[in-house]
Amino acid sequence: MRFKRWLILVPLLVLLMGCSSAGKSSQDKAQNNNGKFNGLTLDVSRRHYHLSTLVKFINLVAANHGNFVQLHLTDDRDFAIENQTVGQTLDHATKKDGVWRNNQTKQAFYSKAQIRYLVNIAQKRGVTLIPEIDTPAHVNGLVDTMKANGKAKLARQLSWYSRSYGDELHLNQASIDFVKNIDNEVGTEFDNQNNARFHLGGDEFTDKLTKNPAYVKYLNATSTNVEKLGFIPEAWNDGFLNSELGDLNKHIQVTYWNWTADQSGSLGARRKKAWASMPKLISHHFKVLNYNDYYLYFNITKANLAPKNVAYMTKDMKQYWKPTLWHSDHATKLKSLNGIVGSSASIWGDSVATISDKKVYQAGYQFIKEFLVLARKPA
């Protein structure tokens, strides 16, 4: 009887050992993937790049083992993509030297065909192209585009003016439905990519330190919508309050740029108490990406593009930043990459200075290369 029982137990033990081994391998694989999804964010709303320049940035990321290029398509000065929902169509635009411009606003934007062209090139290079439609704030360009293209009444119904942040969308069902329609249309040009993602924005829109259920509903609805389209949803960390982490969609991957939205003093201190830190997000099972604005933000100005200043920024980043350093230059380094999906360098067009694509690319070239080396290093 013992012999027969042993014959029964042997395959059972083998099966259990196999399950244990498989489970461990899966866990190890997840651990090994931490910090491996790195790339570049480009502000193409306030700074329009020629298509050939965007291809160069995609190739640069690919050549240096990067994984994505995020396109910040909406901001205070422009809505930078063709979109029927917003009223920006080729029927009311003019193309000159490869650049489409809205006949009413005179702002440059990318056609759907141009976006699909970029996506195809990115796919061939193993790079994911990520759209960012930033709401509920940073929508001045969106609102202005709507008003100039026959949708003024709808724009007034959906938006309000904030003294702190400019035009914002109301956090209600009408805005949710409207943003879903925009995202659905944008998503068709960015779908069917490996590791496809859709960034929903969510930065610099509120001073709230207590619960904001309207934003929770808004973000949960819009993130669930892009998930249904086949995208991993992403959002900036500003709207993730400690008091609401249990209510927010855990599938959202949080792009963490600053703990206090660059506020110091008493407001900064209050935000640190109310806004979730990166370790707090990770402990609540959110995946995060490191967008540390102190070391990884490259703002386009004539002064910043001077060779000596580019060299200083690059040296400073190389000397002090690691993928685990998540808030400014403060002592906020995590012990491991656990929960950190990856990191991004960013080139922002806050300034209205007229600077050629060539100069921006040349200035950013070494900064991006060095960043992608650092981003791959273990903690």
Side-chain angles (χ1 to χ4, degrees), residues 289-348:
L289 292 99
N290 189 334
Y291 280 59
N292 185 316
D293 70 322
Y294 185 87
Y295 290 109
L296 305 182
Y297 275 25
F298 192 112
N299 291 302
I300 300 172
T301 65
K302 289 182 178 180
N304 283 349
L305 265 60
K308 65 176 183 180
N309 291 332
V310 173
Y312 173 81
M313 287 188 287
T314 304
K315 180 182 177 182
D316 197 43
M317 175 183 64
K318 287 176 64 177
Q319 185 171 355
Y320 297 110
W321 182 78
K322 290 185 177 181
T324 50
L325 180 59
W326 55 271
H327 173 58
S328 190
D329 61 341
H330 299 182
T332 54
K333 193 170 72 171
L334 293 167
K335 293 181 179 179
S336 77
L337 288 169
N338 183 45
I340 301 176
V341 176
S343 302
S344 178
S346 302
I347 299 180
W348 296 102

Short mmCIF file of all heavy atoms in Angstrom, two decimals, residues 289-348:
data_model
loop_
_atom_site.label_atom_id
_atom_site.label_comp_id
_atom_site.label_asym_id
_atom_site.label_seq_id
_atom_site.Cartn_x
_atom_site.Cartn_y
_atom_site.Cartn_z
N LEU A 289 5.83 55.27 -13.82
CA LEU A 289 6.98 55.60 -14.67
C LEU A 289 7.61 56.88 -14.14
O LEU A 289 6.91 57.78 -13.68
CB LEU A 289 6.56 55.79 -16.13
CG LEU A 289 6.09 54.52 -16.84
CD1 LEU A 289 4.57 54.45 -16.86
CD2 LEU A 289 6.64 54.44 -18.27
N ASN A 290 8.92 56.95 -14.19
CA ASN A 290 9.67 58.08 -13.62
C ASN A 290 9.89 59.16 -14.68
O ASN A 290 10.61 58.95 -15.65
CB ASN A 290 11.02 57.57 -13.09
CG ASN A 290 11.76 58.62 -12.29
OD1 ASN A 290 11.58 59.82 -12.48
ND2 ASN A 290 12.62 58.17 -11.39
N TYR A 291 9.23 60.32 -14.48
CA TYR A 291 9.37 61.47 -15.38
C TYR A 291 9.98 62.67 -14.63
O TYR A 291 9.67 63.80 -14.95
CB TYR A 291 8.00 61.88 -15.93
CG TYR A 291 7.47 61.06 -17.08
CD1 TYR A 291 7.26 59.70 -16.97
CD2 TYR A 291 7.15 61.66 -18.29
CE1 TYR A 291 6.74 58.95 -18.02
CE2 TYR A 291 6.63 60.93 -19.36
CZ TYR A 291 6.43 59.58 -19.21
OH TYR A 291 5.92 58.84 -20.26
N ASN A 292 10.81 62.41 -13.65
CA ASN A 292 11.39 63.43 -12.77
C ASN A 292 11.72 64.74 -13.52
O ASN A 292 12.63 64.79 -14.35
CB ASN A 292 12.66 62.87 -12.14
CG ASN A 292 13.28 63.79 -11.11
OD1 ASN A 292 13.39 64.99 -11.30
ND2 ASN A 292 13.71 63.21 -10.00
N ASP A 293 10.95 65.79 -13.22
CA ASP A 293 11.08 67.03 -14.01
C ASP A 293 12.38 67.78 -13.73
O ASP A 293 12.82 68.57 -14.57
CB ASP A 293 9.88 67.95 -13.80
CG ASP A 293 9.82 68.57 -12.42
OD1 ASP A 293 10.17 67.89 -11.41
OD2 ASP A 293 9.43 69.74 -12.31
N TYR A 294 13.00 67.56 -12.58
CA TYR A 294 14.23 68.29 -12.25
C TYR A 294 15.38 67.85 -13.16
O TYR A 294 16.12 68.69 -13.69
CB TYR A 294 14.60 68.08 -10.79
CG TYR A 294 15.78 68.90 -10.34
CD1 TYR A 294 15.60 70.20 -9.87
CD2 TYR A 294 17.08 68.40 -10.40
CE1 TYR A 294 16.69 70.97 -9.48
CE2 TYR A 294 18.17 69.16 -10.01
CZ TYR A 294 17.96 70.45 -9.56
OH TYR A 294 19.03 71.22 -9.16
N TYR A 295 15.52 66.55 -13.34
CA TYR A 295 16.65 66.04 -14.11
C TYR A 295 16.30 65.68 -15.56
O TYR A 295 17.18 65.71 -16.44
CB TYR A 295 17.22 64.78 -13.44
CG TYR A 295 17.93 65.07 -12.15
CD1 TYR A 295 17.39 64.68 -10.93
CD2 TYR A 295 19.16 65.73 -12.14
CE1 TYR A 295 18.04 64.94 -9.73
CE2 TYR A 295 19.82 66.00 -10.96
CZ TYR A 295 19.25 65.60 -9.75
OH TYR A 295 19.90 65.88 -8.57
N LEU A 296 15.04 65.33 -15.82
CA LEU A 296 14.69 64.74 -17.11
C LEU A 296 13.91 65.65 -18.04
O LEU A 296 13.60 65.26 -19.16
CB LEU A 296 13.90 63.44 -16.88
CG LEU A 296 14.56 62.39 -15.99
CD1 LEU A 296 13.69 61.15 -15.89
CD2 LEU A 296 15.96 62.03 -16.50
N TYR A 297 13.56 66.87 -17.58
CA TYR A 297 12.85 67.81 -18.43
C TYR A 297 13.84 68.74 -19.13
O TYR A 297 14.66 69.39 -18.50
CB TYR A 297 11.87 68.66 -17.62
CG TYR A 297 10.52 68.02 -17.38
CD1 TYR A 297 10.36 66.63 -17.40
CD2 TYR A 297 9.40 68.80 -17.11
CE1 TYR A 297 9.12 66.06 -17.17
CE2 TYR A 297 8.16 68.23 -16.88
CZ TYR A 297 8.03 66.86 -16.91
OH TYR A 297 6.80 66.29 -16.68
N PHE A 298 13.72 68.79 -20.44
CA PHE A 298 14.56 69.65 -21.27
C PHE A 298 13.64 70.70 -21.88
O PHE A 298 12.85 70.40 -22.78
CB PHE A 298 15.23 68.81 -22.35
CG PHE A 298 16.33 69.48 -23.11
CD1 PHE A 298 17.65 69.08 -22.97
CD2 PHE A 298 16.06 70.54 -23.98
CE1 PHE A 298 18.67 69.70 -23.69
CE2 PHE A 298 17.07 71.16 -24.69
CZ PHE A 298 18.38 70.75 -24.54
N ASN A 299 13.68 71.94 -21.38
CA ASN A 299 12.83 73.01 -21.87
C ASN A 299 13.53 73.79 -22.97
O ASN A 299 14.66 74.23 -22.80
CB ASN A 299 12.43 73.94 -20.72
CG ASN A 299 11.49 73.28 -19.75
OD1 ASN A 299 10.41 72.83 -20.13
ND2 ASN A 299 11.89 73.19 -18.49
N ILE A 300 12.84 73.96 -24.09
CA ILE A 300 13.44 74.61 -25.25
C ILE A 300 13.47 76.13 -25.08
O ILE A 300 12.44 76.79 -25.15
CB ILE A 300 12.67 74.26 -26.54
CG1 ILE A 300 12.66 72.76 -26.77
CG2 ILE A 300 13.30 74.97 -27.74
CD1 ILE A 300 11.76 72.33 -27.91
N THR A 301 14.63 76.66 -24.82
CA THR A 301 14.88 78.09 -24.87
C THR A 301 16.25 78.28 -25.52
O THR A 301 17.05 77.33 -25.57
CB THR A 301 14.91 78.73 -23.47
OG1 THR A 301 16.04 78.20 -22.73
CG2 THR A 301 13.63 78.44 -22.69
N LYS A 302 16.51 79.47 -25.99
CA LYS A 302 17.82 79.72 -26.61
C LYS A 302 18.95 79.51 -25.61
O LYS A 302 20.02 78.99 -25.95
CB LYS A 302 17.86 81.14 -27.18
CG LYS A 302 16.98 81.31 -28.42
CD LYS A 302 17.07 82.71 -29.00
CE LYS A 302 16.21 82.83 -30.26
NZ LYS A 302 16.26 84.18 -30.86
N ALA A 303 18.70 79.90 -24.36
CA ALA A 303 19.73 79.72 -23.33
C ALA A 303 19.97 78.24 -23.04
O ALA A 303 21.12 77.80 -22.95
CB ALA A 303 19.30 80.45 -22.05
N ASN A 304 18.90 77.46 -22.90
CA ASN A 304 19.05 76.04 -22.58
C ASN A 304 19.73 75.27 -23.70
O ASN A 304 20.36 74.24 -23.46
CB ASN A 304 17.70 75.42 -22.29
CG ASN A 304 17.18 75.77 -20.90
OD1 ASN A 304 17.91 76.32 -20.08
ND2 ASN A 304 15.92 75.48 -20.65
N LEU A 305 19.57 75.75 -24.94
CA LEU A 305 20.16 75.05 -26.07
C LEU A 305 21.63 75.40 -26.31
O LEU A 305 22.29 74.81 -27.17
CB LEU A 305 19.36 75.32 -27.35
CG LEU A 305 18.29 74.27 -27.70
CD1 LEU A 305 17.25 74.16 -26.60
CD2 LEU A 305 17.62 74.60 -29.02
N ALA A 306 22.15 76.34 -25.55
CA ALA A 306 23.57 76.66 -25.65
C ALA A 306 24.40 75.43 -25.25
O ALA A 306 24.08 74.77 -24.27
CB ALA A 306 23.91 77.84 -24.74
N PRO A 307 25.45 75.10 -26.02
CA PRO A 307 26.22 73.88 -25.76
C PRO A 307 26.69 73.72 -24.32
O PRO A 307 26.63 72.62 -23.76
CB PRO A 307 27.42 74.03 -26.72
CG PRO A 307 26.87 74.84 -27.84
CD PRO A 307 25.92 75.82 -27.22
N LYS A 308 27.13 74.82 -23.69
CA LYS A 308 27.63 74.69 -22.30
C LYS A 308 26.50 74.33 -21.34
O LYS A 308 26.71 73.59 -20.37
CB LYS A 308 28.32 75.98 -21.86
CG LYS A 308 27.42 77.20 -21.75
CD LYS A 308 28.18 78.40 -21.21
CE LYS A 308 27.25 79.62 -21.03
NZ LYS A 308 28.00 80.79 -20.51
N ASN A 309 25.29 74.83 -21.61
CA ASN A 309 24.16 74.51 -20.73
C ASN A 309 23.65 73.09 -20.96
O ASN A 309 23.25 72.41 -20.01
CB ASN A 309 23.04 75.53 -20.94
CG ASN A 309 23.40 76.90 -20.42
OD1 ASN A 309 24.20 77.04 -19.50
ND2 ASN A 309 22.85 77.94 -21.03
N VAL A 310 23.66 72.65 -22.21
CA VAL A 310 23.29 71.26 -22.49
C VAL A 310 24.28 70.32 -21.82
O VAL A 310 23.89 69.31 -21.22
CB VAL A 310 23.27 71.00 -24.01
CG1 VAL A 310 23.04 69.52 -24.29
CG2 VAL A 310 22.18 71.83 -24.68
N ALA A 311 25.56 70.66 -21.89
CA ALA A 311 26.60 69.84 -21.26
C ALA A 311 26.40 69.78 -19.75
O ALA A 311 26.56 68.71 -19.13
CB ALA A 311 27.98 70.39 -21.60
N TYR A 312 26.04 70.93 -19.14
CA TYR A 312 25.83 70.96 -17.69
C TYR A 312 24.63 70.09 -17.30
O TYR A 312 24.71 69.30 -16.35
CB TYR A 312 25.60 72.39 -17.22
CG TYR A 312 25.21 72.46 -15.75
CD1 TYR A 312 26.19 72.41 -14.76
CD2 TYR A 312 23.88 72.55 -15.36
CE1 TYR A 312 25.86 72.44 -13.42
CE2 TYR A 312 23.53 72.59 -14.02
CZ TYR A 312 24.52 72.53 -13.06
OH TYR A 312 24.18 72.56 -11.74
N MET A 313 23.50 70.23 -18.03
CA MET A 313 22.31 69.44 -17.72
C MET A 313 22.58 67.94 -17.85
O MET A 313 22.15 67.14 -17.02
CB MET A 313 21.15 69.84 -18.63
CG MET A 313 20.53 71.19 -18.31
SD MET A 313 19.01 71.53 -19.27
CE MET A 313 19.72 71.85 -20.89
N THR A 314 23.31 67.60 -18.89
CA THR A 314 23.62 66.19 -19.12
C THR A 314 24.53 65.64 -18.02
O THR A 314 24.31 64.55 -17.50
CB THR A 314 24.29 66.01 -20.50
OG1 THR A 314 23.44 66.57 -21.51
CG2 THR A 314 24.53 64.55 -20.79
N LYS A 315 25.55 66.42 -17.65
CA LYS A 315 26.48 66.00 -16.59
C LYS A 315 25.75 65.87 -15.26
O LYS A 315 25.97 64.91 -14.50
CB LYS A 315 27.62 67.02 -16.47
CG LYS A 315 28.64 66.68 -15.39
CD LYS A 315 29.72 67.75 -15.30
CE LYS A 315 30.69 67.42 -14.18
NZ LYS A 315 31.74 68.49 -14.04
N ASP A 316 24.87 66.83 -14.97
CA ASP A 316 24.11 66.81 -13.71
C ASP A 316 23.23 65.56 -13.64
O ASP A 316 23.16 64.89 -12.60
CB ASP A 316 23.25 68.07 -13.63
CG ASP A 316 22.76 68.36 -12.23
OD1 ASP A 316 23.57 68.23 -11.28
OD2 ASP A 316 21.58 68.73 -12.07
N MET A 317 22.57 65.25 -14.73
CA MET A 317 21.72 64.06 -14.79
C MET A 317 22.56 62.79 -14.59
O MET A 317 22.19 61.91 -13.80
CB MET A 317 21.00 64.00 -16.13
CG MET A 317 20.19 62.73 -16.35
SD MET A 317 19.42 62.66 -18.00
CE MET A 317 20.88 62.60 -19.06
N LYS A 318 23.68 62.71 -15.28
CA LYS A 318 24.53 61.53 -15.18
C LYS A 318 25.09 61.34 -13.77
O LYS A 318 25.24 60.22 -13.29
CB LYS A 318 25.70 61.63 -16.18
CG LYS A 318 25.30 61.43 -17.62
CD LYS A 318 26.49 61.65 -18.55
CE LYS A 318 27.58 60.64 -18.32
NZ LYS A 318 28.71 60.82 -19.28
N GLN A 319 25.38 62.44 -13.11
CA GLN A 319 26.00 62.37 -11.79
C GLN A 319 25.01 62.01 -10.69
O GLN A 319 25.35 61.27 -9.76
CB GLN A 319 26.66 63.71 -11.46
CG GLN A 319 27.44 63.70 -10.16
CD GLN A 319 28.26 64.97 -9.96
OE1 GLN A 319 28.31 65.83 -10.84
NE2 GLN A 319 28.90 65.09 -8.82
N TYR A 320 23.77 62.49 -10.80
CA TYR A 320 22.85 62.37 -9.67
C TYR A 320 21.59 61.54 -9.90
O TYR A 320 21.06 60.97 -8.96
CB TYR A 320 22.43 63.77 -9.20
CG TYR A 320 23.57 64.60 -8.70
CD1 TYR A 320 24.03 65.70 -9.43
CD2 TYR A 320 24.22 64.28 -7.51
CE1 TYR A 320 25.08 66.47 -8.97
CE2 TYR A 320 25.29 65.05 -7.05
CZ TYR A 320 25.72 66.14 -7.79
OH TYR A 320 26.77 66.90 -7.33
N TRP A 321 21.09 61.49 -11.15
CA TRP A 321 19.79 60.83 -11.34
C TRP A 321 19.94 59.33 -11.52
O TRP A 321 20.87 58.85 -12.16
CB TRP A 321 19.07 61.41 -12.56
CG TRP A 321 17.71 60.76 -12.73
CD1 TRP A 321 16.57 61.02 -12.04
CD2 TRP A 321 17.39 59.70 -13.65
NE1 TRP A 321 15.55 60.20 -12.46
CE2 TRP A 321 16.03 59.38 -13.45
CE3 TRP A 321 18.11 59.00 -14.62
CZ2 TRP A 321 15.36 58.40 -14.18
CZ3 TRP A 321 17.46 58.00 -15.35
CH2 TRP A 321 16.11 57.72 -15.12
N LYS A 322 18.98 58.61 -10.94
CA LYS A 322 18.81 57.18 -11.18
C LYS A 322 17.33 56.92 -11.37
O LYS A 322 16.49 57.72 -10.92
CB LYS A 322 19.34 56.37 -9.98
CG LYS A 322 20.84 56.40 -9.83
CD LYS A 322 21.29 55.48 -8.70
CE LYS A 322 22.82 55.45 -8.60
NZ LYS A 322 23.26 54.53 -7.52
N PRO A 323 16.96 55.81 -12.01
CA PRO A 323 15.54 55.53 -12.21
C PRO A 323 14.73 55.44 -10.92
O PRO A 323 13.50 55.52 -10.95
CB PRO A 323 15.56 54.17 -12.93
CG PRO A 323 16.88 54.12 -13.61
CD PRO A 323 17.82 54.83 -12.69
N THR A 324 15.42 55.30 -9.79
CA THR A 324 14.72 55.22 -8.50
C THR A 324 14.59 56.58 -7.81
O THR A 324 13.95 56.67 -6.76
CB THR A 324 15.48 54.26 -7.55
OG1 THR A 324 16.87 54.63 -7.55
CG2 THR A 324 15.33 52.82 -8.00
N LEU A 325 15.18 57.63 -8.38
CA LEU A 325 15.07 58.98 -7.81
C LEU A 325 13.87 59.66 -8.45
O LEU A 325 13.91 60.09 -9.60
CB LEU A 325 16.35 59.78 -8.08
CG LEU A 325 16.38 61.22 -7.53
CD1 LEU A 325 16.19 61.24 -6.02
CD2 LEU A 325 17.69 61.90 -7.91
N TRP A 326 12.79 59.80 -7.70
CA TRP A 326 11.50 60.11 -8.32
C TRP A 326 10.99 61.53 -8.09
O TRP A 326 10.07 61.98 -8.78
CB TRP A 326 10.44 59.12 -7.83
CG TRP A 326 10.30 59.04 -6.33
CD1 TRP A 326 11.00 58.21 -5.50
CD2 TRP A 326 9.41 59.78 -5.50
NE1 TRP A 326 10.61 58.39 -4.20
CE2 TRP A 326 9.62 59.36 -4.17
CE3 TRP A 326 8.45 60.76 -5.74
CZ2 TRP A 326 8.92 59.89 -3.09
CZ3 TRP A 326 7.75 61.29 -4.67
CH2 TRP A 326 7.99 60.84 -3.37
N HIS A 327 11.54 62.28 -7.13
CA HIS A 327 11.02 63.63 -6.89
C HIS A 327 12.14 64.66 -6.88
O HIS A 327 12.95 64.71 -5.96
CB HIS A 327 10.26 63.69 -5.57
CG HIS A 327 9.85 65.10 -5.17
ND1 HIS A 327 9.05 65.89 -5.97
CD2 HIS A 327 10.15 65.85 -4.08
CE1 HIS A 327 8.86 67.07 -5.38
NE2 HIS A 327 9.53 67.07 -4.24
N SER A 328 12.20 65.47 -7.94
CA SER A 328 13.14 66.58 -8.02
C SER A 328 14.55 66.09 -7.71
O SER A 328 14.94 64.99 -8.10
CB SER A 328 12.69 67.69 -7.05
OG SER A 328 13.42 68.87 -7.25
N ASP A 329 15.34 66.93 -7.01
CA ASP A 329 16.69 66.50 -6.61
C ASP A 329 16.72 66.15 -5.14
O ASP A 329 17.78 66.07 -4.53
CB ASP A 329 17.72 67.59 -6.93
CG ASP A 329 17.43 68.89 -6.17
OD1 ASP A 329 16.29 69.09 -5.72
OD2 ASP A 329 18.36 69.71 -6.04
N HIS A 330 15.53 65.92 -4.55
CA HIS A 330 15.44 65.63 -3.12
C HIS A 330 15.83 64.17 -2.85
O HIS A 330 15.88 63.34 -3.76
CB HIS A 330 14.02 65.89 -2.61
CG HIS A 330 13.59 67.31 -2.78
ND1 HIS A 330 12.37 67.78 -2.36
CD2 HIS A 330 14.21 68.38 -3.34
CE1 HIS A 330 12.26 69.07 -2.65
NE2 HIS A 330 13.38 69.45 -3.25
N ALA A 331 16.07 63.88 -1.61
CA ALA A 331 16.47 62.52 -1.20
C ALA A 331 15.24 61.62 -1.18
O ALA A 331 14.71 61.28 -0.12
CB ALA A 331 17.15 62.56 0.16
N THR A 332 14.78 61.23 -2.36
CA THR A 332 13.58 60.41 -2.46
C THR A 332 13.85 59.14 -3.27
O THR A 332 12.97 58.65 -3.97
CB THR A 332 12.43 61.20 -3.12
OG1 THR A 332 12.90 61.70 -4.39
CG2 THR A 332 11.97 62.35 -2.27
N LYS A 333 15.04 58.60 -3.15
CA LYS A 333 15.40 57.44 -3.95
C LYS A 333 14.83 56.16 -3.34
O LYS A 333 14.94 55.92 -2.14
CB LYS A 333 16.92 57.32 -4.07
CG LYS A 333 17.36 56.32 -5.14
CD LYS A 333 18.85 56.41 -5.41
CE LYS A 333 19.65 55.85 -4.25
NZ LYS A 333 21.08 55.72 -4.57
N LEU A 334 14.19 55.35 -4.18
CA LEU A 334 13.67 54.06 -3.75
C LEU A 334 14.79 53.03 -3.71
O LEU A 334 15.82 53.19 -4.37
CB LEU A 334 12.56 53.60 -4.70
CG LEU A 334 11.28 54.44 -4.69
CD1 LEU A 334 10.41 54.10 -5.88
CD2 LEU A 334 10.52 54.21 -3.39
N LYS A 335 14.57 51.95 -2.97
CA LYS A 335 15.61 50.94 -2.81
C LYS A 335 15.71 50.01 -4.01
O LYS A 335 16.74 49.38 -4.23
CB LYS A 335 15.34 50.13 -1.54
CG LYS A 335 15.51 50.93 -0.25
CD LYS A 335 15.26 50.06 0.97
CE LYS A 335 15.44 50.86 2.25
NZ LYS A 335 15.19 50.04 3.46
N SER A 336 14.61 49.90 -4.77
CA SER A 336 14.62 49.00 -5.91
C SER A 336 13.73 49.55 -7.02
O SER A 336 13.01 50.54 -6.83
CB SER A 336 14.13 47.60 -5.50
OG SER A 336 12.72 47.59 -5.37
N LEU A 337 13.74 48.88 -8.16
CA LEU A 337 12.91 49.26 -9.30
C LEU A 337 11.53 48.60 -9.25
O LEU A 337 10.75 48.73 -10.19
CB LEU A 337 13.60 48.88 -10.60
CG LEU A 337 14.82 49.73 -11.01
CD1 LEU A 337 15.55 49.06 -12.16
CD2 LEU A 337 14.39 51.13 -11.39
N ASN A 338 11.25 47.91 -8.18
CA ASN A 338 9.97 47.21 -8.07
C ASN A 338 8.80 48.18 -8.26
O ASN A 338 8.67 49.17 -7.55
CB ASN A 338 9.85 46.55 -6.69
CG ASN A 338 8.57 45.74 -6.56
OD1 ASN A 338 8.21 45.00 -7.47
ND2 ASN A 338 7.88 45.91 -5.44
N GLY A 339 7.96 47.90 -9.25
CA GLY A 339 6.80 48.75 -9.52
C GLY A 339 7.05 49.87 -10.50
O GLY A 339 6.12 50.52 -10.98
N ILE A 340 8.34 50.11 -10.81
CA ILE A 340 8.69 51.17 -11.77
C ILE A 340 8.81 50.55 -13.17
O ILE A 340 9.72 49.78 -13.44
CB ILE A 340 10.00 51.88 -11.38
CG1 ILE A 340 9.88 52.49 -9.99
CG2 ILE A 340 10.34 52.95 -12.41
CD1 ILE A 340 11.17 53.13 -9.48
N VAL A 341 7.88 50.87 -14.03
CA VAL A 341 7.85 50.30 -15.38
C VAL A 341 9.02 50.80 -16.21
O VAL A 341 9.64 50.05 -16.97
CB VAL A 341 6.52 50.64 -16.08
CG1 VAL A 341 6.51 50.15 -17.51
CG2 VAL A 341 5.35 50.06 -15.29
N GLY A 342 9.33 52.09 -16.07
CA GLY A 342 10.40 52.70 -16.84
C GLY A 342 10.48 54.18 -16.57
O GLY A 342 9.95 54.68 -15.58
N SER A 343 11.14 54.90 -17.46
CA SER A 343 11.38 56.33 -17.27
C SER A 343 11.30 57.05 -18.62
O SER A 343 11.39 56.42 -19.68
CB SER A 343 12.75 56.58 -16.65
OG SER A 343 12.89 55.91 -15.41
N SER A 344 11.17 58.37 -18.55
CA SER A 344 11.13 59.17 -19.78
C SER A 344 11.88 60.48 -19.62
O SER A 344 11.72 61.17 -18.61
CB SER A 344 9.67 59.48 -20.17
OG SER A 344 9.62 60.29 -21.33
N ALA A 345 12.68 60.82 -20.62
CA ALA A 345 13.17 62.18 -20.76
C ALA A 345 12.10 62.95 -21.54
O ALA A 345 11.31 62.35 -22.27
CB ALA A 345 14.49 62.20 -21.52
N SER A 346 12.04 64.26 -21.36
CA SER A 346 10.99 65.05 -22.01
C SER A 346 11.57 66.33 -22.59
O SER A 346 12.40 66.98 -21.95
CB SER A 346 9.89 65.41 -21.01
OG SER A 346 9.31 64.25 -20.43
N ILE A 347 11.11 66.69 -23.77
CA ILE A 347 11.48 67.96 -24.38
C ILE A 347 10.21 68.80 -24.50
O ILE A 347 9.27 68.44 -25.22
CB ILE A 347 12.12 67.76 -25.76
CG1 ILE A 347 13.41 66.94 -25.64
CG2 ILE A 347 12.43 69.11 -26.41
CD1 ILE A 347 14.12 66.69 -26.95
N TRP A 348 10.17 69.92 -23.76
CA TRP A 348 8.97 70.74 -23.66
C TRP A 348 9.15 72.07 -24.41
O TRP A 348 10.23 72.66 -24.41
CB TRP A 348 8.63 71.01 -22.20
CG TRP A 348 8.27 69.77 -21.46
CD1 TRP A 348 9.06 69.05 -20.60
CD2 TRP A 348 7.02 69.05 -21.52
NE1 TRP A 348 8.39 67.95 -20.13
CE2 TRP A 348 7.14 67.92 -20.69
CE3 TRP A 348 5.82 69.26 -22.22
CZ2 TRP A 348 6.09 67.00 -20.52
CZ3 TRP A 348 4.79 68.36 -22.07
CH2 TRP A 348 4.93 67.24 -21.22
#
